[in-house]
Amino acid sequence: MEKREQLGGLDYCKIVAALLVVMIHTSPLSSINSNADFILTRIIARVAVPFFFMVTGYFVLPQYLFQQSKDFQSLHRFMKKTSLLYIVAILIYLPINIYAGQFTGIRVLDLLRMLIFDGTFYHLWYLPASLLGVYVICRIGSKLSLKAWMCISIILYMIGLFGDSYYGVIAENEILRMVYNVMFSIFSYTRNGLFYAPIFLVMGVGMQQIRKPGKKNLILAGLIVSTGLMIAEGMTLHHFGLQRHDSMYLALLPCMFFLFQLMLSIKKAPKKSLRIISTWIYIIHPIMIIVVRGAAKVLHLEALLIDNSLLHYIAVCIASGCFAILLEWFMTRKKEKVIL
């Protein structure tokens, strides 16, 4: 396996991916042009979370699928680290959940749905999806080939697709609609650890098998074409009102293949620990949205920091980035003191 420091492109792209997630939740072009904002936030920015999954698949899973390693320390370390991060994130947002009344009269089944599938806050679904996806793949991964897992994950993705961007295609069929309604009583969206995460985790694993990536010009051309197809697909589905949600597209699969290949070609290592910074931007940016909006009202800058969607996005990114850098610095210093 390539050394982490030789794959700086993945770390750089994780920062961009984190900022794209912020973009999804702030709609930076909404006050300028609604169609442009939809293309940017509901189509192009949808590459962000799949990229996170592919990085996990690339680094965590290959030894258990290909080498059938019986040393599960690395896997246990990932599960423990991600679970701890999820618990911390839940605690961070618990006061907001309580203030918003989201736990008022909640049933045990509803709480389990939130913890296992939906996340306790709107962006936290990614963490249980990572845990569930990795667990499912590793549980039966050694019994199947990569091709078999790719076929299974594609089937799961297709099932999820018709509960997401293509829901309108099956909504008129009474039997299929009933089946999906039962599914939605278990989880709110099909972009979860069962239907969404496996394909990108497996694609990340598959990237380990590509020893000689294609020429950069061809990879870039493939990325441009697949992105164009995804934009056309998303706008068509949006135009005909077929989407229940907008996380899953057919063209997203080739788009992620070429994007990841392109990032693997960038070897220069970053100077700072961008992995930690990007993770904390992802975790804390909803709080920064609240902070920016609150500060704008106190300072009477609503026209600049709220009504102007682009400036609002920039302010949230700056606040999230500064907090994440400060936290990374604190964690690094603490680690150094422990070593000393």
Side-chain angles (χ1 to χ4, degrees), residues 118-153:
D118 295 351
T120 59
F121 212 72
Y122 59 79
H123 69 308
L124 295 182
W125 67 270
Y126 162 74
L127 296 173
S130 295
L131 292 167
L132 182 59
V134 168
Y135 175 79
V136 169
I137 291 174
C138 286
R139 183 69 176 176
I140 58 177
S142 61
K143 302 176 184 178
L144 299 173
S145 66
L146 178 62
K147 289 183 179 179
W149 249 119
M150 186 62 72
C151 291
I152 291 172
S153 61

Side-chain angles (χ1 to χ4, degrees), residues 2 8 37 49 54 67 79 92 116 126 128 139 147 149 152 156 163 168 177 179 219 221 242 248 260 291 296 308 323:
E2 295 180 71
D37 186 73
V49 175
M54 289 183 70
Q67 303 169 19
M79 299 295 282
I92 288 174
I116 299 173
Y126 162 74
R139 183 69 176 176
K147 289 183 179 179
W149 249 119
I152 291 172
L156 290 172
R177 188 175 66 252
V179 170
I219 295 173
L242 299 177
M248 305 172 74
F260 206 86
V291 169
N308 188 313
F323 184 89

Side-chain angles (χ1 to χ4, degrees), residues 190-233:
T190 52
R191 54 105 173 93
N192 56 42
L194 289 178
F195 301 106
Y196 183 77
I199 181 63
F200 298 112
L201 289 169
V202 173
M203 285 176 66
V205 175
M207 290 297 173
Q208 281 281 1
Q209 301 299 290
I210 303 176
R211 299 301 180 187
K212 294 183 179 180
K215 294 182 179 180
K216 188 175 292 188
N217 289 340
L218 293 178
I219 295 173
L220 185 58
L223 178 60
I224 292 172
V225 171
S226 57
T227 302
L229 290 173
M230 189 166 69
I231 291 173
E233 179 185 6

Side-chain angles (χ1 to χ4, degrees), residues 102-312:
Q102 294 175 341
F103 291 146
T104 302
I106 191 171
R107 300 175 301 171
V108 174
L109 290 179
D110 294 329
L111 184 60
L112 289 175
R113 183 183 71 243
M114 293 173 67
L115 291 173
I116 299 173
F117 294 108
D118 295 351
T120 59
F121 212 72
Y122 59 79
H123 69 308
L124 295 182
W125 67 270
Y126 162 74
L127 296 173
S130 295
L131 292 167
L132 182 59
V134 168
Y135 175 79
V136 169
I137 291 174
C138 286
R139 183 69 176 176
I140 58 177
S142 61
K143 302 176 184 178
L144 299 173
S145 66
L146 178 62
K147 289 183 179 179
W149 249 119
M150 186 62 72
C151 291
I152 291 172
S153 61
I154 288 175
I155 291 172
L156 290 172
Y157 187 79
M158 292 301 296
I159 294 173
L161 198 71
F162 286 105
D164 195 273
S165 288
Y166 283 79
Y167 180 72
V169 175
I170 59 94
E172 297 302 319
N173 185 295
E174 185 175 352
I175 295 177
L176 289 177
R177 188 175 66 252
M178 288 176 60
V179 170
Y180 275 87
N181 284 340
V182 171
M183 291 166 60
F184 292 136
S185 68
I186 302 172
F187 40 75
S188 300
Y189 303 99
T190 52
R191 54 105 173 93
N192 56 42
L194 289 178
F195 301 106
Y196 183 77
I199 181 63
F200 298 112
L201 289 169
V202 173
M203 285 176 66
V205 175
M207 290 297 173
Q208 281 281 1
Q209 301 299 290
I210 303 176
R211 299 301 180 187
K212 294 183 179 180
K215 294 182 179 180
K216 188 175 292 188
N217 289 340
L218 293 178
I219 295 173
L220 185 58
L223 178 60
I224 292 172
V225 171
S226 57
T227 302
L229 290 173
M230 189 166 69
I231 291 173
E233 179 185 6
M235 291 303 291
T236 301
L237 294 169
H238 179 62
H239 175 75
F240 288 103
L242 299 177
Q243 295 174 297
R244 183 179 183 271
H245 196 50
D246 44 43
S247 291
M248 305 172 74
Y249 298 104
L250 285 171
L252 181 59
L253 301 183
C255 186
M256 294 311 304
F257 172 83
F258 290 114
L259 176 61
F260 206 86
Q261 282 280 289
L262 186 63
M263 292 303 103
L264 285 175
S265 68
I266 301 174
K267 305 296 184 180
K268 184 178 179 181
K271 294 181 180 180
K272 282 189 172 290
S273 182
L274 297 186
R275 279 166 281 167
I276 297 175
I277 293 172
S278 61
T279 297
W280 282 109
I281 289 175
Y282 184 95
I283 294 297
I284 55 90
H285 76 269
I287 290 179
M288 295 306 156
I289 292 175
I290 297 172
V291 169
V292 169
R293 295 180 68 89
K297 291 179 180 179
V298 171
L299 299 173
H300 303 292
L301 295 175
E302 294 95 332
L304 283 177
L305 298 180
I306 297 179
D307 298 337
N308 188 313
S309 57
L310 183 57
L311 290 180
H312 175 67

